[in-house]
C-alpha cells in the first residue's frame, strides 16, 4: 500500500457518501415538491373562490336585469332605463323616477342620446334651467358642458322651456 492509498477513502466509503448525497438531494426535492404542491393548491383555491364569487355576482346581476326587463326597463351600455308609457309633465316624471329610487336620465355620450331616440317619440331627460334661467344643469347638479342636439338647443323658447325633451328624429 502506498502513501496515496492510505489517504484515499476506500471505494465502499465513497459509494456510501454518494448514496447519502443522492438520498439527501432526493429528500430535498421531495420537500420542495410538497411545498410547491401546497402553494399551488392554495393559489388555485384562492382563484377558484374568487371566480366563484364573480360567478355568483354575475348571476345576481343577471337576475336583477331579468327582473327589471320584465317591468319594462331597458338596458344600454351598463345602465338601465325605465320609459313610462304615461304622458306626464317634466316635474311629475321626475317625481315618479324619484319614487322608484332613481332620477331622470343624464346623457353622457352621443351614443346614449341616439339610444334614447329609439325608445319613444318624446321623452323627458334630466336637464333643466329652472334654478337659473339660461344656465342648463343636469338633475345631479352638474352643468351642461357637451350636448348632442341641433345648434341652438337646448333653448328657452319664449322663456317657457325650463326642461329638455328628447324627440325622435
Amino acid at each position: 500500500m502506498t502513501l496515496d492509498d492510505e489517504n484515499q477513502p476506500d471505494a465502499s466509503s465513497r459509494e456510501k457518501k454518494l448514496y447519502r448525497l443522492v438520498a439527501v438531494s432526493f429528500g430535498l426535492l421531495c420537500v420542495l415538491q410538497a411545498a410547491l404542491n401546497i402553494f399551488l393548491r392554495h393559489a388555485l383555491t384562492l382563484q377558484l373562490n374568487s371566480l366563484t364569487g364573480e360567478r355568483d355576482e354575475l348571476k345576481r346581476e343577471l337576475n336583477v336585469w331579468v327582473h327589471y326587463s320584465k317591468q319594462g326597463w331597458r338596458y344600454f351600455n351598463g345602465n338601465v332605463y325605465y320609459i313610462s308609457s304615461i304622458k306626464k309633465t317634466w316635474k311629475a316624471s321626475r317625481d315618479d323616477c324619484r319614487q322608484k329610487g332613481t332620477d331622470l336620465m343624464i346623457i353622457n355620450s352621443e351614443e346614449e342620446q341616439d339610444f334614447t331616440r329609439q325608445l319613444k317619440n318624446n321623452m323627458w331627460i334630466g336637464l333643466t334651467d329652472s334654478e337659473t334661467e339660461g344656465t342648463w344643469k343636469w338633475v345631479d347638479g352638474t352643468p351642461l358642458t357637451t350636448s348632442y342636439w341641433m345648434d341652438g338647443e337646448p333653448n328657452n323658447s319664449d322663456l317657457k322651456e325650463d326642461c329638455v325633451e328628447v324627440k325622435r328624429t
Side-chain angles (χ1 to χ4, degrees):
M1 186 185 283
T2 67
L3 191 56
D4 287 337
D5 289 338
E6 290 176 9
N7 292 333
Q8 294 292 327
D10 63 349
S12 172
S13 176
R14 276 185 277 157
E15 283 179 12
K16 288 180 183 177
K17 286 183 179 180
L18 181 60
Y19 287 137
R20 267 191 240 134
L21 179 63
V22 168
V24 168
S25 297
F26 183 71
L28 288 173
L29 285 174
C30 289
V31 169
L32 182 61
Q33 181 66 47
L36 184 60
N37 287 348
I38 291 168
F39 171 77
L40 290 175
R41 180 179 297 251
H42 180 69
L44 289 173
T45 300
L46 290 175
Q47 188 174 14
L48 178 63
N49 289 341
S50 174
L51 290 172
T52 301
E54 287 178 32
R55 182 206 60 205
D56 293 346
E57 180 61 26
L58 287 171
K59 281 182 178 180
R60 280 189 291 279
E61 287 181 23
L62 179 61
N63 288 335
V64 168
W65 295 129
V66 167
H67 171 76
Y68 280 117
S69 68
K70 287 180 181 178
Q71 294 181 355
W73 291 74
R74 300 280 308 271
Y75 174 84
F76 176 76
N77 203 23
N79 296 307
V80 288
Y81 303 84
Y82 180 76
I83 312 304
S84 175
S85 58
I86 302 169
K87 189 173 184 171
K88 299 177 183 175
T89 65
W90 185 90
K91 183 178 178 341
S93 295
R94 185 169 190 210
D95 290 344
D96 186 45
C97 287
R98 286 177 157 177
Q99 288 175 1
K100 289 177 172 56
T102 187
D103 210 331
L104 290 172
M105 179 187 313
I106 296 172
I107 297 176
N108 294 305
S109 69
E110 191 168 0
E111 295 78 22
E112 190 173 25
Q113 182 155 334
D114 290 343
F115 166 75
T116 64
R117 289 185 176 126
Q118 300 169 17
L119 298 174
K120 197 172 177 185
N121 285 338
N122 297 5
M123 182 175 62
W124 296 117
I125 62 172
L127 188 59
T128 181
D129 75 342
S130 60
E131 191 177 295
T132 304
E133 195 64 40
T135 302
W136 295 95
K137 289 185 180 181
W138 293 103
V139 290
D140 68 357
T142 58
L144 175 66
T145 56
T146 305
S147 65
Y148 312 98
W149 298 285
M150 296 183 302
D151 287 341
E153 295 288 347
N155 62 40
N156 215 3
S157 180
D158 299 327
L159 298 176
K160 295 179 183 175
E161 292 182 333
D162 288 330
C163 43
V164 177
E165 163 182 49
V166 173
K167 296 182 179 184
R168 212 180 252 182
T169 54

